[in-house]
Amino acid sequence: MSKEIPYKIYLEEQEMPKEWYNVRADMKKKPAPLINPGTRQSMSVQDLEPVFCKELCEQELNNDDAFIEIPAEIREFYKMYRPSPLVRAYCLEKALGTPAHIYYKFEGNNTSGSHKLNSAIAQAYYAKKQGLKGVTTETGAGQWGTALSMACSYFDLDCQVYMVKCSYEQKPFRREVMRTYGAKVTPSPSMETEIGRKMNADFPGTTGSLGCAISEAVEAATKQEGYRYVLGSVLNQVLLHQSVIGLETKTALDKYGIKPDMIIGCAGGGSNLGGLISPFVGEKLRGEADYQIIAVEPASCPSLTRGSYVYDFCDTGRVCPLAKMYTLGSSFIPSANHAGGLRYHGMSPVISELYDQGLIEARSVEQTAVFEAAQKFARVEGILPAPESSHAIRVAIDEALKCKETGEAKTIVFGLTGTGYFDMYAYGAYNDGTMSDYIPTDEEIAASLAMVPQA
Ligand SMILES: *Cc1c(COP(=O)(O)O)cnc(C)c1O
């Protein structure tokens, strides 16, 4: 008989992961390499080094080592807010009247309010170790910038954040959290970079986009001595750092002999999903176990479900390398969906390749249905979820309701990536009944895909 499952499964300090798990090592067909748009050659460590920290370049290109040690300094920091709890959603199960067993891994228990701190601290650590002065980055909704500003202040590094202008104006509180941690926050497009000045000239009054903020941050990093650029999602290294989520989840489940049937995560650039599923996908790849894995994306920005698997630019300004990924085209501007963290035109090359190989599935959901799930969850589980995370809640609830019809007691695990306290305008729109669902037309997607560079 299995032990009684507590509401929250925590791990002891000695059970916390000491190594990150690199799922690429177990993939027979590897994710496609980043390529230089000029030469069309694969990027080497030397090519990436002017932009990224050296050790992170190596992690980016490392397709062979399954385990990479987590430096002691990073593990010390993790101890401040990890392990994150794996919660049995007893109250949600009861409210739904489902025989399913639902668990969620809650990553919102830190000031930045999301899983992004797991990679921010690693990236800041390697920048410090390399003797750099600081790092630059972009932020859309603000979670990544907040996480990075916390990580930089811990290691005493300068942190320059280009924040998409509409968020800068709409989310003054996020901006102030970043400034409290010592970051310099600049609305993007700015007048501080060539790309920013060009965007402002070409599109007067533009409120910016993530792709443009990335271009500005990369330019700022390469033009200042002792600075490098860091990115909060999409890259292989970020998925590697986020594997702590999946490793902890697996250890916690194993402690109670629980085997999930289904693992669900929201997918913007794919980092939390990649981190959560990595150890489970590893078992799938090695033929040791099978799981149904579902990536959930917004219907307004459906890169997996409606995009193409091709080489594309990671940014609007086309200064970054090309990545092979499911993409809507780097010129795709998603509608003003409230889940800012999911408004990215592409998807991590690792997630894209796993999806292409049929190892994971994808679903898109509409925003009002997402907020309906968010509200239900908040009322019974006591956590106000981030709009991004609520995409996973939506599908977890849908699957639990299917179990109610079939009478199957499936075990569902989903990633609850963060809290939504800075998203109250979005909740307000939902509560007022003024929220709408915007789904791009085939023509709109075809138009931006037509601009993707030809092979
Ligand atoms: C950024 C963010 C996401 C999406 O990013 P991924 O890289 O796809 O994980 C999801 N949830 C929250 C709370 C976020 O801040």
Side-chain angles (χ1 to χ4, degrees), residues 324-353:
K324 189 177 179 195
M325 55 186 177
Y326 276 85
T327 178
L328 296 163
S330 63
S331 58
F332 182 81
I333 307 276
S335 70
N337 180 293
H338 290 292
L342 305 182
R343 292 179 65 203
Y344 183 65
H345 66 272
M347 183 56 66
S348 126
V350 173
I351 294 291
S352 294
E353 183 55 36

Side-chain angles (χ1 to χ4, degrees), residues 297-300 337 364-371 391 394 437 439:
E297 57 185 15
S300 58
N337 180 293
S364 71
V365 289
E366 290 171 29
Q367 129 167 297
T368 45
V370 166
F371 275 82
H391 286 66
R394 174 73 267 165
D437 291 320
I439 302 175

Side-chain angles (χ1 to χ4, degrees), residues 112-116 141-144 174 232-234 238-239 242 266-274 340-343 347 386-390 416-419:
S112 75
S114 82
H115 65 285
K116 292 204 170 69
Q143 287 99 320
W144 168 245
R174 278 244 175 249
S233 183
V234 184
V238 183
L239 270 74
Q242 295 297 355
C266 64
S271 74
N272 87 83
L273 177 76
L342 305 182
R343 292 179 65 203
M347 183 56 66
E388 292 88 353
S389 324
S390 305
L416 188 70
T417 50
T419 47

